[in-house]
Amino acid sequence: MAMHEASPLPKDQRQDSPLVRRLLIAVVLAFLALFLLAPLLVIVVEALARGADAFWLALQDADVLASIRLTLLVAAIVLPINAVIGIAAAWAVAKYRFFGKSLLLTLIDLPFSVSPVIAGLIYVLLFGAQGMFGGWLQGHQISIVFALPAIVLATLFVTFPFVARELIPHMQALGNVDEEAALTLGATGWQTFVRVTLPNIKWSLLYGLLLCNARAMGEFGAVAVVSGKIRGLTTTMPLAVEILYNEYMSVAAFSVAAVLATLALVTLVVKSVLEWRYADDLAANHRPDRTRA
Amino acid sequence: MASLHPAVLPHDGPKASGLTGRWQALVPFRPDSSVLPGFTLAMGLTLTALSLIVLIPLTALALKAGDLGFSGLWALLTTPRVLAALKLSFALSFAAALVNLLFGVLIAWVLVRYDFIGRKWVDAAIDLPFALPTAVAGIALSALYAPNGWIGAVLARYGIKIGYTPTGIWVALVFIGIPFVVRMVQPVLQEIESEIEEAAALLGASRFQTAMRVLLPAIAPAAFTGFTLAFARAVGEYGSVIFIAGNVPMVSEIAPLLIVIKLEQYDYSGAAGVGLLMLAGSFAIILLANAGLALWGRRHGHA
Amino acid sequence: MSVAVQIDRVSKGFSTYPALKGVSLSIEPGELVALLGPSGSGKTTLLRLIAGLEQADGGAITFNGIDTRRLSLRERRIGFVFQNYALFKHMTVAENIAFGLSVRPRSQRPDRQAIQKRIDDLLDLVQLGGLQQRFPAQLSGGQRQRVALARALAIEPQVLLLDEPFGALDAQVRKDLRQWLRDLHRRTGHTTLFVTHDQEEALELADRVAILNQGLIEQVGTPDQVYDHPATAFVCGFLGEANRIPVEIKNGQALFRNRPLLSLKGTNATGGAELFVRPQHLKIDSPELAALAGDVTLIRRHGAVRRAEVEVQGVDRPLEVDLASAVAPDLGERIGLRVGQGHVFAGGLTPSFN
């Protein structure tokens, strides 16, 4: 599609003049450098401000290690639950027609339009010391708020839509034909799901889980409200960043931040690779443009 | 494709459910006569999880805020500190979403239409604000824009202060809103056939006229949707803002922070009240936006 | 292994329209039947009902007298070839064909060698030997179609159902596969139904053709019966082309502007009607003698013959006339037309075709 400037052929009507093109590209790159690249750079520079040794030492602090373990634990609990719920929701929504479908879709998407702080708040209202079930829980010595259960619940809330959102458009596009074929060939419902549906949706499931994981490990607002920030016990990595930063332990704060930023970059790379390589196996809205010159 | 089959409307003959006629189709969450098994299990699981994780807790918020009553909520809303926080959150979110709208359309245009080295990676990097934990973004922006930071120090020489002022909040909100408009507009721009622009050119339109009168209307609904999403997200944003905000009551204190403060003071009803006001504001934005889009669509013939 | 299929007053409605309004059809064991009709006529719905992929609102479908409502999909043993084949794209050709055998309960599952033997036999049958390790994406359209057929045959179906089996293929591949499917049916003898909107395909392949329109069967018969003796105006118009001439029926004669055009046997109806005449059944005569006379407005090639358009006063659209190669009128010449054969459908009684 790109045409040589000296070409005697008529000018491509979609091509803007080189001056406009260069100007617009420059403006965009400058904007992105300021807002995306600079923050990333500052994290690296601040983390290494006292050298690589200080960086490694900061990460070996007992509380930091505990926060890494907690973050991994929360993700390990949240991901499988979200996978099951997401697949179930997508199966119900994409494979059948029923009255109330658009209401259900709106409800599934609801957590995306709720502030993370509110996501944390609602669990405190339910399970906090003065919450609706607070007295009962205290009487039975069950702790939910300021403990792992509330961190998991708040994380489940903010990540609730990710998997279903990825799977629904993909499964709708695939239709029911493969499943019908398997059923006419004598497969049971479970055989059909495991041997036909799951292989068809595996890349979009992975894509959804990838985004879900990034959010689960990085969630701050919701978790901050319910965790109580007990050091070494209920502090996730993003909370550790906050605590260290507020205590003016800049290198330590930025070291943990650098680990989280690396996670974000890895997520972006894997996500892009999935989009490039498995475009056909992802929901239509992620297919990169392949018609482009 | 079977999923495209219209919903069943039984005409005669008994149905297993005992319901006949068109009413069968109106029972919520009950499927048509598809042969695929597993609907009850899948729907049961979905509704259970949705209720336990999302709906019941959100109801708790409404109930708790209900303790205050209408007069209590009104009193809360008119408290100078609450009113200032809500005004600040909504006004700065709107201002940030406007920047996202302008630059979002521009970025989408450049990514779809121009080829340059590293385009693919720039494209991938757009989602960074989605992927980067908000607290990380918060301390990074704060380090950049603080009076002694890389950018803050330069601006300080000209007497401009960003970190720990409302302007800092606005910067953070611009950051987290970058992907919304880009990701909405990009696919629409890709779908526009080159014939459309060629036709405009053959009819005598200049390149600028084509962009303004043919392309812009085509991407306007998507851009507006992206704007609304960025706006709603910014209103609720917490992590990336609190580090750079300064958090001075009445000046640079956002509504979500107020909820946290009220919770720390064990003022559950107050926290729930502010939460409810924020949610009401966000949903009002989304509803208004959808109504606006529907109106626009009807007027332009693709409702 | 073939069964008789009995379809008894089956009805099915979707929320926006009734798809089938009480359809009955009986199919002999081993018969090859085409369900022919325009889109929206209900033919695919009928096929899916027989397969058990939809449930009827009323009526019954039986296999050898057994009510299929009592059978699970597995028990029905239907070989279904989907319109776009629905091959499992993550499985090889061999895995696709073996799928129906490998999902059986362990007690009924053939052993590995038996399955491999069945794959080899079927690949031979569909002439795809050597392709068993390929994936569907590596096959041509015609090859995919044959894999889909082999997969359906692997479960030794009682009934073979094909939904637009040639719809997605090029014209030439289509012709070859048609011939091949006919041979295959002769050899295997499955009771077979296929859905098509292509009348040529239906007439060439099927033992009998059922013509559907708006959820009803208009006519069932051998290809010759339905083509030569269409029961309704719709069938006449849908199978091949037909000129429509408004006539008056009186005393067993079809009159055009009070001049006899064709004598009708066994009719004692009277009143206005439409006479359907195929282009090859209009013969050129002198304009003075013939009841139909008009001006030649256009002559063009139409496949193997040449065709004239003749404008006749009192007929809405120009009549299409196939020309025997020797006689060729000039453009603008006034000619007469004689009707060799035609069909009358009394006005208002039969659905009109447009």
Side-chain angles (χ1 to χ4, degrees):
Chain A
M1 153 157 159
M3 232 170 251
H4 202 273
E5 242 105 277
S7 163
L9 292 167
K11 189 179 136 214
D12 184 334
Q13 286 308 325
R14 295 183 96 187
Q15 209 78 12
D16 297 315
S17 79
L19 187 71
V20 172
R21 198 166 62 219
R22 274 176 214 146
L23 185 73
L24 292 185
I25 292 175
V27 168
V28 162
L29 290 183
F31 177 82
L32 295 178
L34 184 66
F35 276 94
L36 299 184
L37 192 61
L40 279 181
L41 282 180
V42 89
I43 293 168
V44 177
V45 171
E46 295 286 337
L48 298 175
R50 305 236 176 84
D53 291 343
F55 170 77
W56 287 117
L57 210 61
L59 292 182
Q60 282 156 26
D61 175 78
D63 288 348
V64 169
L65 286 177
S67 76
I68 294 175
R69 274 195 295 274
L70 180 62
T71 296
L72 293 176
L73 177 65
V74 170
I77 297 171
V78 166
L79 252 55
I81 296 177
N82 261 328
V84 172
I85 298 171
I87 290 171
W91 183 270
V93 169
K95 298 288 183 192
Y96 304 88
R97 294 192 61 94
F98 53 89
F99 180 74
K101 187 186 277 195
S102 56
L103 173 68
L104 183 63
L105 281 171
T106 310
L107 292 179
I108 290 174
D109 266 353
L110 193 60
F112 276 166
S113 24
V114 173
S115 170
V117 170
I118 294 177
L121 167 68
I122 54 182
Y123 291 105
V124 175
L125 295 179
L126 279 177
F127 305 123
Q130 287 152 39
M132 294 179 182
F133 304 114
W136 187 88
L137 289 168
Q138 253 171 356
H140 290 77
Q141 309 218 316
I142 305 169
S143 33
I144 292 186
V145 168
F146 301 160
L148 181 67
I151 299 176
V152 169
L153 281 170
T155 310
L156 273 176
F157 182 97
V158 295
T159 56
F160 191 83
F162 279 106
V163 177
R165 246 196 178 200
E166 223 35 68
L167 289 183
I168 287 169
H170 189 209
M171 276 165 79
Q172 275 173 336
L174 288 172
N176 293 2
V177 167
D178 280 11
E179 283 79 10
E180 287 177 352
L183 289 170
T184 62
L185 290 167
T188 62
W190 182 247
Q191 285 172 325
T192 303
F193 174 71
V194 172
R195 299 182 57 170
V196 174
T197 310
L198 214 48
N200 275 342
I201 60 169
K202 65 180 173 212
W203 294 116
S204 17
L205 179 61
L206 186 67
Y207 190 97
L209 284 174
L210 182 77
L211 302 184
C212 180
N213 180 62
R215 182 71 193 264
M217 290 190 172
E219 180 53 31
F220 177 73
V223 175
V225 172
V226 298
S227 96
K229 299 173 193 168
I230 308 167
R231 266 177 223 226
L233 277 179
T234 63
T235 307
T236 60
M237 290 171 76
L239 295 181
V241 170
E242 187 203 17
I243 292 172
L244 294 169
Y245 188 80
N246 286 343
E247 289 171 352
Y248 302 103
M249 295 173 68
S250 171
V251 169
F254 278 100
S255 298
V256 180
V259 175
L260 285 170
T262 309
L263 169 79
L265 290 179
V266 169
T267 300
L268 286 186
V269 170
V270 175
K271 173 177 165 294
S272 301
V273 169
L274 281 177
E275 283 168 11
W276 298 334
R277 288 202 43 191
Y278 301 103
D280 293 338
D281 296 317
L282 293 176
N285 44 330
H286 301 302
R287 280 174 202 160
D289 182 21
R290 275 158 297 155
T291 56
R292 205 170 173 286
Chain B
M1 262 178 284
S3 64
L4 296 178
H5 278 209
V8 172
L9 179 69
H11 287 264
D12 43 27
K15 291 297 287 188
S17 65
L19 283 158
T20 53
R22 64 177 67 237
W23 303 110
Q24 157 94 31
L26 294 181
V27 178
F29 309 130
R30 181 89 64 91
D32 64 9
S33 63
S34 167
V35 294
L36 293 194
F39 179 80
T40 315
L41 178 68
M43 186 56 101
L45 211 70
T46 308
L47 291 180
T48 308
L50 191 65
S51 307
L52 289 180
I53 298 171
V54 180
L55 300 181
I56 294 173
L58 279 176
T59 314
L61 175 81
L63 286 178
K64 195 74 198 175
D67 286 355
L68 298 170
F70 270 108
S71 52
L73 270 177
W74 181 252
L76 185 71
L77 176 64
T78 47
T79 314
R81 189 167 170 192
V82 173
L83 197 60
L86 285 170
K87 266 190 192 161
L88 184 76
S89 275
F90 280 90
L92 286 178
S93 298
F94 186 82
L98 274 183
V99 175
N100 290 147
L101 177 65
L102 180 71
F103 276 90
V105 171
L106 188 62
I107 293 168
W109 176 265
V110 167
L111 287 179
V112 170
R113 290 309 181 84
Y114 303 150
D115 229 339
F116 53 93
I117 298 159
R119 187 186 63 87
K120 259 175 137 182
W121 292 107
V122 172
D123 192 350
I126 296 297
D127 284 330
L128 185 70
F130 284 164
L132 197 68
T134 51
V136 176
I139 64 165
L141 289 172
S142 153
L144 280 176
Y145 290 96
N148 58 348
W150 293 0
I151 299 169
V154 177
L155 293 174
R157 257 182 259 151
Y158 303 95
I160 303 169
K161 199 164 176 256
I162 291 186
Y164 316 128
T165 71
T167 320
I169 301 177
W170 173 78
V171 168
L173 295 180
V174 168
F175 170 81
I176 56 123
I178 289 173
F180 289 99
V181 175
V182 181
R183 291 302 184 228
M184 290 304 297
V185 170
Q186 230 176 344
V188 179
L189 215 47
Q190 273 160 0
E191 291 288 299
I192 298 175
E193 297 148 23
S194 56
E195 280 89 345
I196 300 281
E197 284 162 71
E198 286 166 357
L202 289 173
L203 292 167
S206 73
R207 189 71 194 134
F208 184 72
Q209 284 172 319
T210 305
M212 285 297 143
R213 295 179 53 180
V214 178
L215 297 175
L216 213 53
I219 59 169
F224 182 64
T225 306
F227 168 80
T228 313
L229 292 173
F231 187 9
R233 165 76 198 260
V235 169
E237 181 58 23
Y238 176 69
S240 57
V241 174
I242 52 160
F243 296 96
I244 199 175
N247 305 327
V248 180
M250 308 292 297
V251 177
S252 57
E253 184 179 65
I254 54 167
L257 179 64
L258 205 53
I259 293 178
V260 174
I261 291 171
K262 286 195 180 291
L263 264 184
E264 281 168 357
Q265 297 163 346
Y266 295 102
D267 179 8
Y268 282 18
S269 308
V274 177
L276 194 68
L277 293 171
M278 268 179 63
L279 273 188
S282 301
F283 288 147
I285 295 168
I286 293 169
L287 282 179
L288 274 176
N290 283 344
L293 271 180
L295 199 72
W296 198 91
R298 211 167 311 139
R299 196 172 298 166
H300 289 78
H302 39 70
Chain C
M1 217 40 272
S2 292
V3 297
V5 177
Q6 193 77 36
I7 298 159
D8 189 22
R9 284 165 298 172
V10 162
S11 62
K12 172 75 180 171
F14 294 114
S15 58
T16 44
Y17 64 99
L20 291 173
K21 309 177 207 167
V23 164
S24 297
L25 179 64
S26 69
I27 297 145
E28 300 294 313
E31 215 181 356
L32 178 56
V33 173
L35 300 175
L36 175 67
S39 62
S41 61
K43 53 194 194 304
T44 296
T45 304
L46 182 55
L47 203 71
R48 289 174 62 86
L49 283 168
I50 299 170
L53 292 172
E54 307 274 357
Q55 282 156 24
D57 299 336
I61 297 171
T62 57
F63 292 173
N64 274 357
I66 297 167
D67 191 333
T68 52
R69 277 176 296 197
R70 302 211 320 262
L71 301 178
S72 70
L73 279 179
R74 174 182 280 174
E75 289 163 340
R76 283 190 194 217
R77 292 235 317 281
I78 297 288
F80 200 106
V81 177
F82 289 83
Q83 187 168 2
N84 291 307
Y85 319 134
L87 292 178
F88 307 129
K89 61 182 162 55
H90 61 284
M91 297 183 198
T92 62
V93 167
E95 286 165 346
N96 263 287
I97 296 174
F99 183 85
L101 301 174
S102 67
V103 293
R104 285 187 185 168
R106 211 168 287 276
S107 59
Q108 294 164 39
R109 199 184 302 161
D111 62 30
R112 199 179 283 264
Q113 280 113 17
I115 292 181
Q116 188 55 50
K117 167 112 181 38
R118 185 112 189 92
I119 294 170
D120 292 340
D121 290 350
L122 283 164
L123 282 172
D124 269 356
L125 185 70
V126 300
Q127 300 162 2
L128 289 174
L131 296 186
Q132 53 171 309
Q133 292 314 317
R134 296 267 188 97
F135 285 94
Q138 299 167 315
L139 302 176
S140 72
Q143 288 170 332
R144 277 180 219 175
Q145 215 263 357
R146 284 182 278 159
V147 173
L149 195 62
R151 185 179 72 175
L153 292 173
I155 59 166
E156 293 169 317
Q158 305 195 76
V159 182
L160 187 59
L161 303 174
L162 303 101
D163 189 5
E164 295 276 2
F166 311 112
L169 301 171
D170 297 343
Q172 189 53 47
V173 182
R174 232 173 144 119
K175 274 220 156 87
D176 295 346
L177 270 176
R178 228 186 261 175
Q179 189 67 40
W180 171 82
L181 186 69
R182 189 117 193 59
D183 290 347
L184 188 86
H185 177 256
R186 204 174 289 139
R187 270 190 287 160
T188 56
H190 287 100
T191 307
T192 304
L193 271 97
F194 71 98
V195 154
T196 179
H197 64 270
D198 182 340
Q199 36 114 352
E200 206 183 306
E201 202 166 277
L203 296 177
E204 188 184 319
L205 257 174
D207 298 328
R208 282 195 303 152
V209 181
I211 294 137
L212 281 95
N213 181 34
Q214 295 180 352
L216 288 167
I217 291 189
E218 297 258 340
Q219 191 178 5
V220 185
T222 64
D224 288 344
Q225 281 168 351
V226 294
Y227 189 82
D228 291 335
H229 306 286
T232 65
F234 173 82
V235 174
C236 187
F238 192 69
L239 296 176
E241 298 155 295
N243 294 299
R244 298 161 66 158
I245 305 166
V247 291
E248 187 78 21
I249 303 199
K250 218 186 267 177
N251 308 326
Q253 293 249 307
L255 306 176
F256 178 73
R257 305 189 132 197
N258 292 325
R259 293 182 66 177
L261 206 55
L262 188 70
S263 54
L264 305 165
K265 276 163 245 149
T267 311
N268 43 21
T270 40
E274 266 190 323
L275 179 67
F276 285 67
V277 186
R278 300 207 185 281
Q280 67 267 34
H281 294 145
L282 282 172
K283 301 278 179 278
I284 293 178
D285 205 343
S286 79
E288 290 76 29
L289 291 175
L292 285 167
D295 301 326
V296 177
T297 54
L298 190 71
I299 297 180
R300 60 196 156 84
R301 177 130 298 269
H302 188 86
V305 297
R306 294 208 301 157
R307 183 169 283 184
E309 278 185 14
V310 182
E311 232 166 279
V312 176
Q313 222 186 359
V315 183
D316 285 348
R317 295 173 64 182
L319 296 178
E320 310 237 313
V321 184
D322 280 353
L323 303 172
S325 52
V327 262
D330 292 327
L331 212 56
E333 189 183 334
R334 189 168 178 77
I335 60 167
L337 292 170
R338 204 153 37 74
V339 176
Q341 231 186 78
H343 305 277
V344 168
F345 306 99
L349 288 176
T350 40
S352 63
F353 168 73
N354 208 332

